[in-house]
Amino acid sequence: MSDALSAAGVLAGRGIRISRRNLDAVLTSMLLPVMLMLVFVYFFGGAIDTGTGTRYVTYVVPGVLVLCAGFGAAGTAVSVSEDMRRGVVDRFRTLDVGGTPFLAGHVAASLARNLLSTALVLGVAFLIGFRPAASPGGLLAAVGLLLAFITAVSWLSAAAGLVARTPEAAGAVTFLMMFLPYPSSAFVPIDSMPGWLHGFAGHQPVTPLIESMRGLLLGLPVGNAPWIALAWCAGLCALALAVAGVLFRRRTR
């Protein structure tokens, strides 16, 4: 176990160093959520009635943070696919590095990138008027939920990188994760959507996460939404781990 953790830590450092050499991709994943937040707040925010009595920037920030996680995790799929294509994994296996440490290193690097992106989004949000009313406990709970989601989507992206045969295809496979916040309560209330969309928007993975984070950051009741969000994260993470293990063994036979 200690050897696996040590290998994962070394590979996480490798992933971070690779990110530093690919600043264009990192900056894109960091700046695009910020640009989308500015577009929604300043272009559309005045026309959207959220029904919460709060400023639109306060309503939209949790959704942008989740969107940011999707953009950041997409890079994990590309990195894994690139390593598989270049035969880097074969060299690791000669050093007795298994699939779990290899993928865990990529996931840990994704967490580091996403934390930086999250800090940037929050910094810009404060500059344009975001003012949370969370208690210290609520703030920690919101951060914990976001970290759980980032971990889950990073593992899903790692599995997607094993499925895709090229880095370009890996980036396309992760599009669904970046799309999910749109048909949810991230940017507009679900009640404002067409009726046929309510069922999906209300019961997909990111909606309870966004509702939980919004309630925790604003000091509002959240009910059982955080537990539903954690159940989604745990289920997605377990699925991704199982699928990634099978795919890794098949790709490295």
Side-chain angles (χ1 to χ4, degrees), residues 42-128:
Y42 289 114
F43 292 2
F44 308 135
I48 298 175
D49 180 13
T50 63
T52 62
T54 61
R55 296 183 61 187
Y56 185 67
V57 63
T58 302
Y59 179 89
V60 81
V61 163
V64 175
L65 292 176
V66 172
L67 187 66
C68 183
F71 279 117
T76 305
V78 175
S79 298
V80 170
S81 180
E82 182 68 22
D83 279 350
M84 299 298 292
R85 184 181 66 85
R86 295 170 54 194
V88 174
V89 177
D90 295 331
R91 281 174 263 171
F92 287 150
R93 287 178 67 81
T94 63
L95 300 173
D96 198 27
V97 176
T100 299
F102 165 70
L103 296 175
H106 280 284
V107 170
S110 174
L111 280 167
R113 291 193 302 268
N114 271 286
L115 288 175
L116 186 60
S117 301
T118 299
L120 177 62
V121 169
L122 285 175
V124 175
F126 273 104
L127 288 176
I128 63 176

Side-chain angles (χ1 to χ4, degrees), residues 12-31:
R14 170 182 175 266
I16 293 172
R17 289 192 296 273
I18 291 174
S19 298
R20 289 167 57 186
R21 292 196 293 268
N22 295 299
L23 285 178
D24 52 345
V26 174
L27 289 175
T28 299
S29 66
M30 292 174 61
L31 294 178

Side-chain angles (χ1 to χ4, degrees), residues 80 84 89-90 93 97-103 155 158-159 161-163 165 238-253:
V80 170
M84 299 298 292
V89 177
D90 295 331
R93 287 178 67 81
V97 176
T100 299
F102 165 70
L103 296 175
W155 275 107
L162 293 172
V163 172
R165 295 292 175 173
L239 175 64
L241 283 166
V243 171
V246 172
L247 290 173
F248 187 84
R249 288 191 294 271
R250 289 184 176 179
R251 290 288 303 273
T252 57
R253 282 178 180 174

